[in-house]
Amino acid sequence: MTVKEVLKTTAMLLGREDVSGYLDESNKDVGEDTLSSVNVLVGLVNLVISELSNSYIPLVKTETVSVSGGKVYFSTLSETALKIQKVFVGADREIDFSYHPEYITVDGQSEVMVQYEYLPSNRGLEDDVGYTERQVARRVLAYGTAAEFCITEGSFDKAVMWHERYVEELKSICLPTNSKIKTRSWV
């Protein structure tokens, strides 16, 4: 899912046909207001993704890296690591590691797979948001973006409405569901 796809949904929710037309490339003549709105929306999508990844649903990446002197430097990872979850040798054998300020140490390996949570970088229109549709639906990101956009436009009632929808969707993703246990029977 790309930033552009999220913005198309957001523009539809907000009734911004000018932004939708620009993103669909069906409207070539756009004004400064439309371009400004698109730039603001891109920044707000980045804000929502950052908030979501830091507070609720972490972005996770797994990549293969070289080990240098028993150390895997955080700078060799393609993203800014927040927390190392697991380190693997091969595809399935998990190994122990220890943290240090600039690296993690692993014993006797030349190459490992590191699974880690990361801090998202700012994304452009064509960039991937980092979440799959299964992890976080496009509408959830669109609700959060719409709420933030309404705040920037001074539409606080609409902002509250979109924020409530955003929060309800997050609850359905993050909170566990109750399950019913079979009741006891006395014979």
Side-chain angles (χ1 to χ4, degrees), residues 62 87 152 177:
T62 303
V87 177
T152 65
T177 57

Side-chain angles (χ1 to χ4, degrees), residues 10-132:
T10 304
M12 182 197 63
L13 293 173
L14 294 172
R16 294 290 305 260
E17 289 85 15
D18 59 329
V19 174
S20 292
Y22 173 76
L23 295 172
D24 288 336
E25 299 173 3
S26 61
N27 185 7
K28 299 291 183 189
D29 287 334
V30 293
E32 295 239 351
D33 181 48
T34 302
L35 292 176
S36 175
S37 294
V38 169
N39 287 334
V40 168
L41 285 167
V42 169
L44 294 174
V45 166
N46 283 307
L47 177 70
V48 170
I49 292 168
S50 179
E51 173 193 9
L52 197 57
S53 67
N54 290 326
S55 302
Y56 302 105
I57 305 165
L59 285 166
V60 178
K61 187 170 190 171
T62 303
E63 65 182 275
T64 303
V65 293
S66 297
V67 178
S68 174
K71 300 174 184 176
V72 176
Y73 287 91
F74 297 132
S75 60
T76 62
L77 299 173
S78 61
E79 302 287 346
T80 305
L82 293 174
K83 178 184 176 186
I84 306 297
Q85 292 180 335
K86 298 176 183 176
V87 177
F88 298 97
V89 173
D92 59 351
R93 190 170 64 99
E94 191 173 337
I95 62 170
D96 292 330
F97 63 94
S98 60
Y99 272 104
H100 297 277
E102 296 177 7
Y103 56 87
I104 58 172
T105 56
V106 294
D107 292 330
Q109 305 299 324
S110 62
E111 190 175 81
V112 294
M113 288 178 57
V114 180
Q115 180 180 349
Y116 62 98
E117 296 174 14
Y118 66 93
L119 181 68
S121 57
N122 282 334
R123 290 157 163 72
L125 266 178
E126 302 298 329
D127 294 334
D128 188 64
V129 296
Y131 293 111
T132 63

Side-chain angles (χ1 to χ4, degrees), residues 121-164:
S121 57
N122 282 334
R123 290 157 163 72
L125 266 178
E126 302 298 329
D127 294 334
D128 188 64
V129 296
Y131 293 111
T132 63
E133 186 75 30
R134 189 168 186 217
Q135 291 171 312
V136 179
R138 182 181 319 154
R139 74 178 179 283
V140 176
L141 295 172
Y143 289 162
T145 306
E148 297 295 334
F149 186 76
C150 288
I151 289 172
T152 65
E153 296 289 305
S155 301
F156 297 109
D157 291 336
K158 287 183 180 179
V160 168
M161 178 194 66
W162 290 119
H163 182 71
E164 286 174 354

